[in-house]
Amino acid sequence: MTDDIDGTSEAATDAGRLWGGRFASGPDEAAWALGVSTGFDRHLWRQDLSGSAAHTHELHRIGVLDTDERDAMLDALGRCAELFASGAFPFLATDEDVHGAIERWLVEELGPLGGKLRAGRSRNDQIAGDLRLWCRDACDELVALIGELQQAFVEQADVHLGWHAPGYTHLQRGQPVLLSHHLLAYVWMLDRDAGRLRDARERLDESTLGSGALAGQTLGLDPEAYAAHLGMARTSPNSIDAVASRDFALELLAACAILAVTLSRLGEEIVLWATSEFGFVRVGDAFSTGSSIMPQKRNPDVAELVRGKTGRVIGDLVGLLTTMKALPLAYDRDLQEDKEPVFDAVATLRLVLPAITGTVASLRFDRDRLAAASVGGFALATDLAEELVGRGVPFREAHEIVGEVVRVAEERGVDLDGLEAEALAGIHPALDAAVATRLDPQQAIDRRDAVNGTATVSVRRQLELARAAAAANTG
Ligand code: ARG
């Protein structure tokens, strides 16, 4: 039941099935229900019809179809596409999968001519090709959606250039940064996410048609002609690999899972920054929700859902990895399980990306709270230690000295700039009045003016690179 059997009996054709010639009875109801895939593989109609059009041309080239037959077939495939596009394609309960449904419909439309299309091909090479084509489009679409989100970050970073924010490690205040520097970090994370999708796309852009069930075919079909017809970059060099491999789907899912994790971290930061405790940001009304019982509530549900959806995208990847891990070559029916996780992950990200893009664009930052937090917690202690290094003190010693400064300040309930000159000089002679000038956050930020730094001049430069990166993805 799991093999493609060439030669279809009258009875099987009547039942609309692709196989059955060798069986005395039809399939058990439960077995059929388990195997039917039209509920999800119908999403591949466009790709399946493109493959069939390419196959029609090849069958004409080798003389299996004459010119009239070719034209009638192409015409029928076009009408079939219209039915799918309008949601009117008439699936039957006896259709096992989208490939069988289309062939059954062609036979109804064209009579025996419809039955000629299967020559030299198998659902094994069809499905491997269909899914690759689908994944290729999905990569393009996701990259463009990532570009929109990057754009939203670039705009926020541009508008807020110059605003201070706390930079964290261990979620404890570490050093002051420009808010724009923090926002632009997401642009680069997202850029690698887009890069992974581009890489996956490049590798999967390979035609599998002409592989037959697994060993190729005897009719003289040219595998490279399919690649040309379908606009694919290459032809798979090995028919067994072509029908058995799904690492392209795993790669797309891995890229989706990593992207989802990026978005989840972003969702978490929005949730955190929007709390009364942080109070750094307010999410726009259109991306916030109220509570059914607490009238005062303003909840960042979109950011939470983006974080929450990550679980299922990771699950999609882990699910297919698990399906694949022990499959012998070449095609196994287990491979039918490749589609739903791929569709689900991509559909999830299609929902998530525009919603989080709108959320980011809607953010209203609180300049005062951000600035106050950026200097709290002795955030300039590293600057003070580095100032001492500039004066010849070994960093190990400088670290100790500034540690003591922090201890004294903490005892007195002040920040570093609250200590008088005598108190500082009393801790170490290198701590003269001039070091006090180092305790200004703007200076601290602007001294970090290397290419990767948070200085205004560096971030301004970075902003232009980020703008170009976003534009390259939005296309
Ligand atoms: N629905 C099948 C799948 O998705 C198509 C290939 C069926 N091949 C077979 N030998 N039964 O994998």
Side-chain angles (χ1 to χ4, degrees):
M1 174 168 167
T2 56
D3 277 328
D4 252 343
I5 311 290
D6 281 331
T8 307
S9 74
E10 271 313 306
T13 307
D14 287 349
R17 297 196 174 112
L18 294 185
W19 43 266
R22 82 180 306 294
F23 296 104
S25 69
D28 171 84
E29 206 179 314
W32 181 257
L34 176 65
V36 168
S37 58
T38 49
F40 48 88
D41 66 15
R42 62 178 64 201
H43 297 304
L44 297 171
W45 66 266
R46 209 182 294 275
Q47 293 73 18
D48 206 66
L49 290 174
S50 301
S52 288
H55 191 52
T56 301
H57 285 292
E58 268 304 279
L59 289 178
H60 174 251
R61 190 185 61 75
I62 62 173
V64 168
L65 297 180
D66 65 29
T67 301
D68 287 347
E69 288 177 322
R70 178 198 63 190
D71 293 346
M73 187 72 81
L74 291 174
D75 185 62
L77 291 171
R79 279 183 280 123
C80 188
E82 280 165 25
L83 283 177
F84 272 107
S86 64
F89 182 85
F91 278 104
L92 298 181
T94 45
D95 294 331
E96 189 180 21
D97 54 28
V98 68
H99 326 291
I102 291 173
E103 180 173 316
R104 188 257 312 149
W105 184 86
L106 287 173
V107 171
E108 282 166 13
E109 288 288 301
L110 303 174
L113 171 59
K116 288 196 170 186
L117 191 60
R118 208 194 306 167
R121 74 171 177 178
S122 152
R123 289 180 292 165
N124 299 355
D125 61 354
Q126 261 181 285
I127 190 63
D130 289 357
L131 193 59
R132 277 176 167 82
L133 285 172
W134 192 93
C135 288
R136 194 173 71 164
D137 288 347
C139 287
D140 291 342
E141 198 188 332
L142 292 177
V143 166
L145 290 173
I146 289 173
E148 308 274 329
L149 176 53
Q150 290 177 301
Q151 202 87 52
F153 272 113
V154 166
E155 263 142 45
Q156 289 284 21
D158 195 0
V159 174
H160 297 97
L161 193 61
W163 290 32
H164 295 183
Y168 293 95
T169 63
H170 311 265
L171 199 53
Q172 309 290 319
R173 290 173 190 167
Q175 291 162 347
V177 293
L178 286 188
L179 173 62
S180 305
H181 196 47
H182 188 102
L183 297 175
L184 290 177
Y186 280 103
V187 173
W188 304 116
M189 292 158 75
L190 290 165
D191 214 47
R192 290 189 298 279
D193 290 321
R196 274 181 280 275
L197 289 165
R198 287 180 192 282
D199 289 349
R201 183 202 198 282
E202 208 286 308
R203 255 186 299 283
L204 66 76
D205 198 4
E206 197 163 281
S207 173
T208 59
L209 294 179
S211 298
L214 82 154
Q217 37 68 46
T218 61
L219 300 176
L221 298 165
D222 174 13
E224 292 186 331
Y226 292 99
H229 274 298
L230 295 168
M232 300 192 85
R234 295 175 305 280
T235 302
S236 169
N238 182 312
S239 60
I240 294 177
D241 176 40
V243 298
S245 295
R246 295 293 183 274
D247 50 286
F248 71 90
L250 291 173
E251 227 179 322
L252 170 57
L253 283 172
C256 285
I258 298 172
L259 167 61
V261 168
T262 302
L263 301 177
S264 186
R265 296 182 74 179
L266 168 60
E268 167 63 12
E269 283 215 310
I270 292 172
V271 170
L272 200 62
W273 283 30
T275 57
S276 323
E277 285 74 8
F278 273 73
F280 292 167
V281 80
R282 193 180 163 94
V283 178
D285 284 358
F287 298 90
S288 302
T289 48
S291 154
S292 53
I293 178 167
M294 297 169 282
Q296 84 287 6
K297 284 305 285 291
R298 181 185 182 82
N299 294 327
D301 287 30
V302 173
E304 293 171 274
L305 284 166
V306 167
R307 189 178 58 187
K309 294 276 187 195
T310 306
R312 64 191 286 166
V313 180
I314 293 172
D316 290 328
L317 168 63
V318 174
L320 187 56
L321 280 168
T322 312
T323 297
M324 296 301 300
K325 70 180 261 298
L327 293 186
L329 303 182
Y331 178 84
D332 301 281
R333 188 62 179 275
D334 315 47
L335 292 173
Q336 183 163 295
E337 291 296 307
D338 59 358
K339 284 166 277 301
E340 285 171 293
V342 169
F343 294 161
D344 182 71
V346 172
T348 301
L349 289 165
R350 251 191 215 131
L351 268 182
V352 159
L353 280 162
I356 194 72
T357 300
T359 304
V360 168
S362 82
L363 296 178
R364 296 283 164 269
F365 294 93
D366 185 324
R367 185 169 200 163
D368 293 339
R369 285 193 67 101
L370 282 162
S374 74
V375 285
F378 311 104
L380 297 175
T382 316
D383 287 61
L384 195 52
E386 287 182 358
E387 176 63 17
L388 293 179
V389 168
R391 294 165 185 229
V393 180
F395 187 78
R396 192 179 164 83
E397 205 181 310
H399 192 282
E400 282 294 307
I401 295 165
V402 177
E404 198 182 335
V405 173
V406 167
R407 192 177 51 72
V408 171
E410 203 165 34
E411 268 168 24
R412 300 195 188 174
V414 293
D415 209 321
L416 298 181
D417 59 357
L419 291 174
E420 336 60 81
E422 309 83 72
L424 285 173
I427 294 170
H428 194 275
L431 293 169
D432 58 29
V435 300
T437 65
R438 292 304 197 196
L439 298 176
D440 166 50
Q442 187 65 49
Q443 268 206 40
I445 286 170
D446 282 337
R447 276 201 303 272
R448 293 174 164 83
D449 60 357
V451 66
N452 60 352
T454 191
T456 314
V457 42
S458 310
V459 174
R460 203 185 296 282
R461 222 169 22 226
Q462 188 192 153
L463 192 57
E464 289 323 305
L465 296 174
R467 203 185 294 283
N473 289 329
T474 43

